[in-house]
RNA sequence: GGGAGCUUAGCUCAGUUGGUUUAGAGCACCUGCCUUACAAGCAGGGGGUCGUGGGUUCAAAUCCCUCAGCUCCCACCA
């Protein structure tokens, strides 16, 4: 392509869709098992109803970098995309949408509701996958999966049955986290505890004195104005109370005891007595348990086993009854009588008032406590006793812990091993049932008498049930009812690395054998337990092998002032808008520039700007090279020859470093190394070194080598910046293949001395530039450089380059000092630029004095070390030799400077 | 309440088993440049008592302890 036809600025819109379509047409993203080494990533499936946010952008950029690099390394790269049915979130969305249409979920049958849900999924689901294409994600779209696809559904059911038959799944009444808004149990991990400003209510419970009788008639039950007699004749005294403190006065309706510490002398005399619940007038015992903190509140605690986890455990210990006072939606149950049908928060206010009016409220304190909220609906979680399905975790967790601790699976960064261990060592049984419709329905079937069997189909269940002789008369198919609950979403996603290859149903199929275990998993630390840990468990249980070898944990994308990006704060930019403005490559670079694994990414659009600027820099370098006229006849200049040798060495040196960064999953460092290699070494140095004069042609050899370098750089950049690199790869020359499937350059041995020698030349050039600037000598004006040999032989290899870059008339080697010249020293070689009357002795002197001071400091420190006997006797020879060299260098420099100063005076 | 981690330039971070001159990078900043690839740029430059106070050592950003500050995870103090 001619430069006239190339945009002056890189314009991403023009090429991104073109290349993405091209890659799809060529089917580059698709993978089938073959003889090559596989490289596989399964995507953390985003919610099917989700839209792309910055977290996805970061996460998927990282995955794409890894996949594209692996593909270019000749591996059979396979990135499996897909979405998660996200039962609570999706069901909530569908319910909300139906509500807008005036339909109440309650009025729908299960089938009808699911029909709506599937319609919704077909319509809105998978938007996010389309969005991933915009950022360049090279997923194998032919393998796109959904956790509710038929075969994945079946895998989940198979696993449930298997675990049930192994005795690992059980059904039982437990205290669960109840979401009164979504009307379902949620796992511990889905509860977010927040500090809340609330109140601590001190409530007086009248003590029942079984020893006193009086002849009064019973008083109205809601009053304690005077003592009153109960039905059995015992009397409650109005002057004896026990006061408890609670944040939830409404739960007194479900109290079944009051509890004190067994060594608390304040209450010991109450042993064996009981109290009446205010307003309710139900008698409950006073019990004693060491759980009670004597210092807190009144030192006395009410026990409501149905509505508090601690109380629940105390209730079991003391064999207390449990009274559930709430309906599922958080209102008071009709059977309670008082406050029936009213919401828990309404009742809290009302009951406080009623208690006060009746004289039972001692006081109200302000109090900060932690309250659990549902991650999905933000409703206050209600601890609730309910009948749920559980998976026993203890034995499953052990091997999953081991493979991480012994680095069979590596976490990047490793600090997450600690967190993981802590969780796995304290793992609790997993509540896997959810009271929802959108999900895999639990394959348990109930007979009319309540007995149940677990089976894949109703027919199998029937056969099982009858063969086991549960009922006297054989059951008919219609007698069986399937469990209404579905499984926790994570109970399907924990199989993801297996089920996407159908490894549960067909454990030996070609795909699972080839791709499993997968290589890298890229995900957020928040779901280390929800998902990563459980995938490891499932992998070991069902494949007898780890699901992935490396886990790359990303950070959280935050805004400039450190807040987590979220919809509700409105502080999250739309990644697609960013892509429109800065280009996909620009945004990808922006995301990766400052996000080492495990570190939060403080995002600012200036990062994308930097990425975009980098694109433009590459683009312009391409335009420069592309615009050169190539001459087959002119000879290759000396400066070009040495420049090529140098850059070749530099390139290989940097490739080694980049490879090392990738091996350690330091993607930001790998990108930054590449960035500097391209911008600084290639553009700022190499291209300037070989660039022919304006409108002059370039020799064919140099041109050829330059194109080769540029191609290699484009290849190194491709995983980070797929679009622009594919474009310039093709503009720079006819290519047999596309860059996306080309072979990634590998490091080869290189001559390090070339790099060191050029390092000196770079210093010389910088010094000359500084002098030109200070003395206002325009670049166009040629100058002469004199070099004085001192002890060292001056390095001359890059003289032609120095001469060209600095516009030197010539470089002359002399043995005497030069008067009236600006001077500088590199190593111990002295350089002079004659300035005639432009020389300002005072300026030169100041400069020299500063250098002198520095050298003297250095000399002093080395001398101090070397004259220290203990240093000389303890330090290694190498260190001492280095120190000696430092000393002599410093001394030499001091000598040179001193002589120059003498001349100036 | 328990556990883990962090603290290096204005910002975000490197700094490998203690020893490479004066602790590095990117961005930001300052100065000068519209020098025909690029002002989304070029050239040059300034900036850090490595959180505090101790200790070990010939030698500490690096190892040990103290304190302070921050972050995350776990946990049911009503």
């Amino acid at each position: 392509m001619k430069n006239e036809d190339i945009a002056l600025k890189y314009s991403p819109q023009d090429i991104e869709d073109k290349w993405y379509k091209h890659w799809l047409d060529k089917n580059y993203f698709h993978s089938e098992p073959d003889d090559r080494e596989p490289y596989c990533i399964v995507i953390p499936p985003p919610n099917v109803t989700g839209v792309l946010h910055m977290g996805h952008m970061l996460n998927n950029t990282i995955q794409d970098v890894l996949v594209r690099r692996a593909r270019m390394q000749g591996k059979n790269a396979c990135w499996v995309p897909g979405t998660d049915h996200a039962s609570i979130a999706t069901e909530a969305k569908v319910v909300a949408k139906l509500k807008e249409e005036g339909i109440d979920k309650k009025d729908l049958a299960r089938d009808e509701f699911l029909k709506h849900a599937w319609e919704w999924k077909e319509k809105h689901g998978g938007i996010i996958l389309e969005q991933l294409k915009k950022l360049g994600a090279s997923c194998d779209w032919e393998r796109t999966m959904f956790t509710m696809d038929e075969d994945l559904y079946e895998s989940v059911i198979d696993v449930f049955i298997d675990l049930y038959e192994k005795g690992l799944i059980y059904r039982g009444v437990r205290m669960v986290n109840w979401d009164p808004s979504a009307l379902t149990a949620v796992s511990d991990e889905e509860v977010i505890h927040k500090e809340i400003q609330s109140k601590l209510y001190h409530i007086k419970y009248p003590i029942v004195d079984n020893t006193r009788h009086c002849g009064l008639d019973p008083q109205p039950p809601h009053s304690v104005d005077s003592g009153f007699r109960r039905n059995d004749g015992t009397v409650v005294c109005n002057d004896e109370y026990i006061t408890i403190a609670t944040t939830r006065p409404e739960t007194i309706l479900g109290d079944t005891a009051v509890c004190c510490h067994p060594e608390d002398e304040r209450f010991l005399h109450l042993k064996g007595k009981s109290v009446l619940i205010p307003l309710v007038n139900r008698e409950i015992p006073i019990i004693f348990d060491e759980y009670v903190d004597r210092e807190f509140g009144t030192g006395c605690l009410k026990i409501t086993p149905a509505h508090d986890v601690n109380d629940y455990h105390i209730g079991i210990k003391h064999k207390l009854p449990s009274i559930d006072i709430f309906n599922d939606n958080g209102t008071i149950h009709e059977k309670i009588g008082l406050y029936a049908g009213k919401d828990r928060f309404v009742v809290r206010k009302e009951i406080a008032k009623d208690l006060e009016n009746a004289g039972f409220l001692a006081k109200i304190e302000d109090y900060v406590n932690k309250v659990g909220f549902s991650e999905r609906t933000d409703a206050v979680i209600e601890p609730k006793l309910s009948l749920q399905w559980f998976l026993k975790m203890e034995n499953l967790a052990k091997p999953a812990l081991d493979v991480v601790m012994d680095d069979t699976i590596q976490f990047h960064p490793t600090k997450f091993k600690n967190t993981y261990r802590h969780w796995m060592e304290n793992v609790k049984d997993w509540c896997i049932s959810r009271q929802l419709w959108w999900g895999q329905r639990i394959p348990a079937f109930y007979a009319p008498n309540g007995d149940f069997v677990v089976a894949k189909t109703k027919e199998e269940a029937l056969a099982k049930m009858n063969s086991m002789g549960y009922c006297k008369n054989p059951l008919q198919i219609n007698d069986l009812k399937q469990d209404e609950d579905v499984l926790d979403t994570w109970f399907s996603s924990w199989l993801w690395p297996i089920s996407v290859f159908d490894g549960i149903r067909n454990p030996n199929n070609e795909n699972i054998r080839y791709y499993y275990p997968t290589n890298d998993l890229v995900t957020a630390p928040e779901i280390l337990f929800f998902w990563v840990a459980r995938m490891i468990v499932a992998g070991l249980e069902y494949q007898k092998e780890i699901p992935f070898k490396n886990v790359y944990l990303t950070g959280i994308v935050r805004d400039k002032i450190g807040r987590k990006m979220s919809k509700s704060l409105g502080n999250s930019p739309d990644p697609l808008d960013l892509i429109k403005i800065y280009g996909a490559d620009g945004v990808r670079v922006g995301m990766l520039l400052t996000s080492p694994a495990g570190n939060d990414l403080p995002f600012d659009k200036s990062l994308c700007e930097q990425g975009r600027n980098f694109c433009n820099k590459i683009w312009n370098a391409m335009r420069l090279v592309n615009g050169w006229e190539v001459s087959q006849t002119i000879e290759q200049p000396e400066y070009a020859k040495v420049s090529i040798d140098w850059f070749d060495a530099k390139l290989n040196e940097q490739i080694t470093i980049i490879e090392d960064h990738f091996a350690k999953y330091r993607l930001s460092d790998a990108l930054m190394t590449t960035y500097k290699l391209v911008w600084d070494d290639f553009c700022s140095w190499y291209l300037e070194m070989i660039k022919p004069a304006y409108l002059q042609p370039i020799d064919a050899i140099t041109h050829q080598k330059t194109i080769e370098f540029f191609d290699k750089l484009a290849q190194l950049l491709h995983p980070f910046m797929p679009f622009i690199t594919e474009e310039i790869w093709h503009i720079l020359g006819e290519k047999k293949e596309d860059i996306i499937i080309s072979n990634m350059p590998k490091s080869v041995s290189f001559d390090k001395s070339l790099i060191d020698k050029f390092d000196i030349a770079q210093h010389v050039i910088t010094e000359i530039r500084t002098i030109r600037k200070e003395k206002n000598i325009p670049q166009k004006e040629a100058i002469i450089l004199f070099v004085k040999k001192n002890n060292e032989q001056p390095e001359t290899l890059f003289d032609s380059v120095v001469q060209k870059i600095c516009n030197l008339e010539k470089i002359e080697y002399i043995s005497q000092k030069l008067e009236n010249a600006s001077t500088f020293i590199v190593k111990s070689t002295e350089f002079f630029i004659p300035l005639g009357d432009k020389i300002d002795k005072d300026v030169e002197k100041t400069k020299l004095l500063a250098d002198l001071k520095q050298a003297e400091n250095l000399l002093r420190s080395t001398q101090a070390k070397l004259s220290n006997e203990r240093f000389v006797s303890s330090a290694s020879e190498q260190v001492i030799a280095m120190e000696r060299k430092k000393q002599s260098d410093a001394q030499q420099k001091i000598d040179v400077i001193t002589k120059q100063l003498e001349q100036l005076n």
Side-chain angles (χ1 to χ4, degrees):
Chain A
M1 208 190 294
K2 285 265 167 55
N3 259 6
E4 299 93 87
D5 306 325
I6 296 175
L8 283 174
K9 283 188 172 158
Y10 173 58
S11 164
Q13 300 80 352
D14 298 347
I15 64 158
E16 288 178 359
D17 289 347
K18 173 183 82 177
W19 285 117
Y20 201 84
K21 183 172 179 301
H22 176 79
W23 295 328
L24 285 177
D25 290 345
K26 292 275 189 171
N27 217 17
Y28 290 141
F29 304 162
H30 181 59
S31 165
E32 288 294 335
D34 61 20
D35 297 336
R36 288 175 296 166
E37 180 190 343
Y39 176 84
C40 184
I41 293 184
V42 290
I43 202 169
N47 288 0
V48 68
T49 58
V51 288
L52 198 71
H53 61 238
M54 294 305 286
H56 295 125
M57 185 73 206
L58 173 64
N59 180 275
N60 288 292
T61 298
I62 291 166
Q63 292 176 70
D64 197 44
V65 169
L66 295 171
V67 167
R68 284 180 184 269
R69 183 171 163 85
R71 189 179 292 121
M72 289 175 74
Q73 286 173 325
K75 295 175 192 166
N76 185 349
C78 183
W79 183 9
V80 182
T83 48
D84 190 291
H85 66 282
S87 55
I88 296 184
T90 307
E91 183 152 330
K93 279 193 182 172
V94 175
V95 168
K97 180 219 163 209
L98 289 173
K99 204 171 178 184
E100 272 174 32
E101 297 169 8
I103 304 170
D104 195 328
K105 184 191 163 191
K106 276 192 299 218
D107 301 333
L108 290 177
R110 188 183 189 110
D111 288 352
E112 288 172 322
F113 177 82
L114 286 176
K115 217 179 124 213
H116 283 290
W118 277 105
E119 271 171 20
W120 165 276
K121 185 259 170 187
E122 294 309 326
K123 200 167 163 197
H124 301 281
I127 291 176
I128 195 162
L129 298 182
E130 289 307 308
Q131 293 179 314
L132 284 177
K133 294 177 181 173
K134 293 286 174 198
L135 71 87
S138 59
C139 302
D140 185 352
W141 300 110
E142 288 175 41
R143 292 182 179 271
T144 304
M145 299 284 168
F146 177 50
T147 50
M148 286 263 277
D149 282 342
E150 238 171 79
D151 44 347
L152 277 80
Y153 193 119
E154 192 184 335
S155 303
V156 170
I157 298 302
D158 287 351
V159 163
F160 182 96
I161 295 169
D162 179 68
L163 290 170
Y164 179 78
E165 283 170 358
K166 285 174 179 161
L168 293 170
I169 285 179
Y170 63 92
R171 192 168 182 246
V173 175
R174 293 288 185 283
M175 184 65 80
V176 296
N177 304 298
W178 184 261
D179 181 335
S181 170
L183 300 180
T184 178
V186 297
S187 69
D188 289 346
E189 290 75 22
E190 288 162 315
V191 178
I192 299 163
H193 292 272
K194 295 185 208 166
E195 285 209 333
I196 294 295
Q197 181 66 50
S198 52
K199 302 219 184 299
L200 196 57
Y201 300 84
H202 291 246
I203 303 172
K204 301 195 286 186
Y205 285 47
I207 295 168
V208 175
D209 187 341
N210 296 303
T211 62
R212 279 174 58 188
H213 279 71
C214 67
L216 292 171
D217 286 334
Q219 295 290 313
H222 281 61
S223 162
V224 284
D225 289 346
S226 55
F228 63 90
R229 192 181 62 183
R230 297 180 319 161
N231 294 341
D232 66 356
T234 56
V235 164
V236 175
C237 245
N238 58 4
D239 58 353
E240 261 201 80
Y241 299 103
I242 186 162
T243 306
I244 60 92
T246 181
T247 53
R248 301 199 58 192
E250 70 279 13
T251 60
I252 66 168
L253 302 172
D255 285 354
T256 55
V258 161
C259 186
C260 308
H261 195 278
E263 284 155 28
D264 194 333
E265 289 178 359
R266 291 175 295 175
F267 303 112
L268 281 183
H269 67 286
L270 297 175
K271 215 163 211 164
K273 295 192 177 174
S274 49
V275 296
L276 282 186
I277 304 171
L279 307 183
V280 179
N281 259 350
R282 182 156 43 75
E283 184 174 348
I284 53 173
I286 299 174
I287 60 167
F288 292 84
D289 194 287
E290 283 170 357
Y291 165 77
V292 179
D293 179 351
R294 279 177 276 182
E295 308 300 316
F296 187 87
T298 60
C300 185
L301 177 68
K302 74 189 202 59
I303 304 293
T304 321
H307 298 296
D308 184 281
V309 186
N310 301 305
D311 293 10
Y312 171 67
H313 289 121
I314 292 174
I316 291 173
K317 194 168 156 193
H318 294 269
K319 300 197 168 61
L320 297 172
S322 171
I323 302 173
D324 190 342
I325 63 167
F326 290 122
N327 293 310
D328 287 350
N329 64 0
T331 56
I332 302 289
H333 200 280
E334 284 65 28
K335 71 174 185 212
I336 299 302
L338 300 171
Y339 308 106
K342 292 185 177 173
D343 183 75
R344 50 194 169 144
F345 297 110
V346 173
V347 175
R348 184 173 303 172
K349 281 186 190 142
E350 289 188 2
I351 206 166
K353 198 166 279 171
D354 293 344
L355 284 167
E356 191 175 10
N357 292 339
F360 291 113
L361 193 60
K363 63 171 170 177
I364 303 177
E365 289 178 309
D366 284 332
Y367 181 67
V368 175
N369 67 338
K370 286 204 170 172
V371 176
F373 288 79
S374 166
E375 189 187 43
R376 302 289 184 191
T377 64
D378 211 35
V380 173
I381 291 296
E382 193 61 55
K384 186 180 160 76
L385 276 178
S386 90
L387 189 57
Q388 303 283 350
W389 292 88
F390 292 88
L391 174 61
K392 289 184 194 169
M393 290 303 288
E394 201 183 339
N395 292 335
L396 290 171
K398 179 73 177 68
L401 172 61
D402 292 344
V403 291
V404 170
M405 294 326 287
D406 67 16
D407 286 332
T408 310
I409 295 176
Q410 288 188 28
F411 283 5
H412 305 277
T414 50
K415 65 177 175 184
F416 287 106
K417 275 170 81 173
N418 280 327
T419 331
Y420 180 82
R421 185 181 61 206
H422 190 258
W423 194 77
M424 290 303 255
E425 283 175 348
N426 297 287
V427 70
K428 286 182 284 183
D429 287 355
W430 176 11
C431 174
I432 54 174
S433 45
R434 294 290 183 273
Q435 290 64 52
L436 299 166
W437 284 342
W438 180 242
Q440 292 90 2
R441 191 169 180 179
I442 290 178
F445 298 86
Y446 299 84
N449 70 353
D451 285 342
F452 69 87
V453 290
V454 166
K456 202 157 178 174
T457 62
K458 211 171 191 178
E459 288 71 23
E460 277 179 37
L462 184 70
K464 234 179 197 173
M465 190 147 287
N466 284 332
S467 75
M468 290 167 97
Y470 272 118
C471 305
K472 285 169 203 153
N473 304 319
L475 293 168
Q476 301 303 310
I477 193 106
N478 286 335
D479 295 335
L480 288 182
K481 275 179 71 179
Q482 187 172 357
D483 198 298
E484 290 296 328
D485 291 355
V486 299
L487 289 159
D488 179 12
T489 306
W490 300 106
F491 196 82
S492 50
S493 33
W494 78 324
L495 304 175
W496 187 245
I498 307 171
S499 57
V500 295
F501 300 117
D502 204 13
I504 297 290
R505 301 186 312 160
N506 299 303
N508 274 314
N509 78 70
E510 193 189 13
N511 276 304
I512 192 86
R513 274 188 291 132
Y514 183 71
Y515 293 113
Y516 194 97
T518 66
N519 297 75
D520 300 332
L521 179 82
V522 180
T523 192
E526 293 121 273
I527 54 173
L528 192 60
F529 311 133
F530 278 113
W531 193 46
V532 179
R534 288 166 181 166
M535 277 192 289
I536 297 172
V537 168
L540 294 174
E541 182 70 14
Y542 286 100
Q543 286 298 313
K544 309 294 170 208
E545 202 170 2
I546 54 170
F548 28 72
K549 293 162 194 148
N550 294 284
V551 179
Y552 182 108
L553 295 149
T554 63
I556 296 165
V557 185
R558 296 180 182 278
D559 68 8
K560 242 197 233 173
I561 50 175
R563 297 174 307 176
K564 195 171 167 178
M565 284 192 171
S566 75
K567 236 190 256 171
S568 51
L569 280 173
N571 59 348
S572 175
D574 180 346
L576 295 186
D577 289 345
L578 292 173
I579 287 173
K580 266 185 214 140
I581 298 168
Y582 301 106
D585 293 331
V587 180
R588 290 168 65 114
V589 168
M591 297 305 299
L592 285 178
L593 273 172
T594 58
S595 49
N599 279 33
D600 286 357
L601 165 61
F603 181 81
D604 185 80
K605 64 179 180 3
S606 68
L607 289 166
C608 295
E609 249 167 61
Q610 194 184 344
R612 187 234 6 220
N613 294 355
F614 186 40
C615 289
N616 208 39
K617 183 72 189 176
I618 298 166
W619 188 253
N620 279 306
M622 180 274 290
R623 290 203 306 126
L624 171 71
V625 173
N626 194 54
W628 284 333
E629 182 198 332
V630 183
S631 161
Q632 302 296 328
T633 52
I634 60 170
E635 236 180 85
Q636 184 183 33
E638 171 66 16
Y639 65 75
K641 205 160 169 279
V642 291
S643 297
I644 287 165
D645 290 344
W646 165 74
F647 190 75
D648 191 58
K650 189 77 190 178
L651 178 64
N652 281 298
E653 178 194 53
Q654 296 303 305
I655 289 175
T656 313
I657 294 169
I658 292 164
E659 284 169 348
D660 184 54
H661 285 320
F662 269 108
K664 291 171 178 153
Y665 288 81
R666 299 170 145 198
L667 304 201
S668 290
D669 290 331
L671 171 60
M672 185 46 73
T673 306
T674 317
Y675 177 94
K676 286 192 280 189
L677 175 64
V678 171
W679 198 311
D680 299 342
D681 297 316
F682 185 67
C683 294
S684 295
W685 286 103
Y686 175 79
L687 289 179
E688 293 299 332
M689 284 150 70
I690 59 140
K691 186 161 115 179
Y694 182 53
L695 289 180
Q696 295 301 302
I698 191 165
D699 70 274
I701 299 170
T702 305
H703 182 256
Q704 178 55 33
K705 282 307 282 188
T706 304
I707 299 284
E708 279 173 30
F709 288 147
F710 214 141
D711 280 343
K712 283 189 181 174
L713 294 174
Q715 288 174 303
L716 290 170
L717 287 169
H718 180 79
F720 301 106
M721 314 169 81
F723 296 107
I724 189 173
T725 49
E726 189 73 85
E727 178 76 4
I728 61 172
W729 172 263
H730 288 283
I731 291 176
L732 282 174
E734 288 295 311
K735 300 291 197 314
K736 273 185 272 177
E737 57 180 14
D738 295 315
I739 196 169
I740 182 175
I741 52 155
S742 67
N743 290 322
M744 182 62 78
K746 287 187 194 137
S747 64
V748 294
S749 64
F750 58 92
D751 185 352
K752 176 84 166 65
S753 74
L754 280 175
I755 294 169
D756 295 339
K757 285 174 184 171
F758 186 65
D759 204 47
I760 296 168
Q762 280 176 308
H763 273 114
V764 173
I765 291 167
T766 300
E767 292 284 1
I768 297 171
R769 280 172 173 165
T770 308
I771 289 171
R772 270 191 186 277
K773 194 184 170 188
E774 278 172 359
K775 304 297 174 200
N776 263 319
I777 307 169
Q779 176 70 14
K780 280 177 194 159
E781 190 180 312
I783 53 178
I784 303 172
L785 178 70
F786 291 90
V787 186
K788 177 171 174 286
K789 298 183 192 179
N790 284 332
N791 297 354
E792 283 179 22
Q793 191 61 27
E795 182 49 57
T796 60
L797 183 63
F798 292 99
D799 278 6
S800 57
V801 173
V802 177
Q803 191 170 354
K804 171 175 185 288
I805 294 266
C806 296
N807 190 18
L808 301 178
E809 195 182 310
K810 59 179 176 180
I811 298 176
E812 224 178 277
Y813 287 84
I814 54 176
S815 50
Q816 291 296 315
K817 291 194 174 302
L818 203 69
E819 302 257 1
N820 288 329
S822 197
T823 159
F824 57 91
I825 302 162
V826 176
K827 293 256 175 174
S828 58
T829 308
E830 287 174 81
F831 296 84
F832 303 89
I833 294 175
L835 290 171
D837 50 2
K838 277 184 178 164
I839 191 80
D840 181 336
K841 288 199 176 183
D842 286 340
V843 173
E844 297 298 317
K845 207 167 147 185
T846 316
K847 213 166 78 181
L848 285 170
L849 282 171
D851 288 349
L852 182 66
K853 198 175 168 196
Q854 207 176 68
E856 281 172 346
N857 284 344
L858 182 59
L859 182 69
R860 214 170 302 132
S861 83
T862 53
Q863 274 174 341
K865 274 190 192 173
L866 287 167
S867 59
N868 184 334
E869 226 175 274
R870 298 220 275 174
F871 170 76
V872 181
S873 58
S874 320
S876 73
E877 269 178 51
Q878 234 183 339
V879 173
I880 294 171
M882 207 149 48
E883 215 55 40
R884 292 236 162 83
K885 175 85 163 55
K886 270 197 244 174
Q887 190 189 25
S888 69
D889 283 356
Q891 188 57 60
Q892 231 175 68
K893 199 159 184 178
I894 288 168
D895 293 345
V896 170
I897 295 170
T898 314
K899 275 182 204 154
Q900 288 190 347
L901 279 169
E902 277 166 17
Q903 272 188 351
L904 275 176
N905 286 330

